[in-house]
Amino acid sequence: MARKPRPKIRLRLRHGSPLLKIALILTLVVCTVSLLTLHNAIARTEAETALLRQQAARLERENHDLAKNIAEVGTVQGIKRIASQMLDLVEGGANFFTPSTTNP
């Protein structure tokens, strides 16, 4: 079976109207400005997301520390920690020194 030869396609470009050229240029400019605006918005959103992730990690650490402190409240060690850190109390028999402000 013989193959039929493909028809040759001739493409002739005509000069477009000036109005069409202006419309295409305006479309390209609007698309470029839109893409740049979206790129800037994405960059801002990514920066805000990174900041919020850091804040979330910090809050999770604080939450973990608070949960640990709550668990220690009823224990002897927890009571001693609260007395020494929050109330500035010292255990009986402990030596307590305050630094002097003057040198001999």
Side-chain angles (χ1 to χ4, degrees), residues 51-86:
L51 180 64
L52 290 173
R53 286 183 196 272
Q54 290 174 354
Q55 288 176 350
R58 181 180 50 81
L59 289 173
E60 285 179 7
R61 284 191 304 271
E62 287 180 15
N63 193 22
H64 175 73
D65 292 342
L66 289 172
K68 191 171 108 178
N69 289 342
I70 288 171
E72 289 180 351
V73 167
T75 65
V76 174
Q77 294 169 340
I79 293 170
K80 286 182 181 180
R81 184 183 53 78
I82 291 171
S84 66
Q85 291 179 354
M86 296 180 181

Side-chain angles (χ1 to χ4, degrees), residues 4-10:
K4 292 182 182 180
R6 286 189 174 174
K8 291 184 179 179
I9 299 174
R10 287 189 171 176

Side-chain angles (χ1 to χ4, degrees), residues 3-100:
R3 291 183 93 190
K4 292 182 182 180
R6 286 189 174 174
K8 291 184 179 179
I9 299 174
R10 287 189 171 176
L11 182 63
R12 293 194 331 180
L13 296 175
R14 295 183 297 173
H15 292 289
S17 69
L19 188 60
L20 178 63
K21 289 178 184 177
I22 291 172
L24 286 174
I25 290 172
L26 284 176
T27 303
L28 287 173
V29 168
V30 167
C31 288
T32 303
V33 169
S34 297
L35 286 174
L36 289 174
T37 303
L38 288 173
H39 178 66
N40 289 338
I42 289 170
R44 278 193 313 270
T45 303
E46 287 175 347
E48 289 173 6
T49 302
L51 180 64
L52 290 173
R53 286 183 196 272
Q54 290 174 354
Q55 288 176 350
R58 181 180 50 81
L59 289 173
E60 285 179 7
R61 284 191 304 271
E62 287 180 15
N63 193 22
H64 175 73
D65 292 342
L66 289 172
K68 191 171 108 178
N69 289 342
I70 288 171
E72 289 180 351
V73 167
T75 65
V76 174
Q77 294 169 340
I79 293 170
K80 286 182 181 180
R81 184 183 53 78
I82 291 171
S84 66
Q85 291 179 354
M86 296 180 181
L87 303 175
D88 292 330
L89 299 176
V90 292
E91 193 172 339
N95 295 330
F96 184 71
F97 297 99
T98 56
S100 64

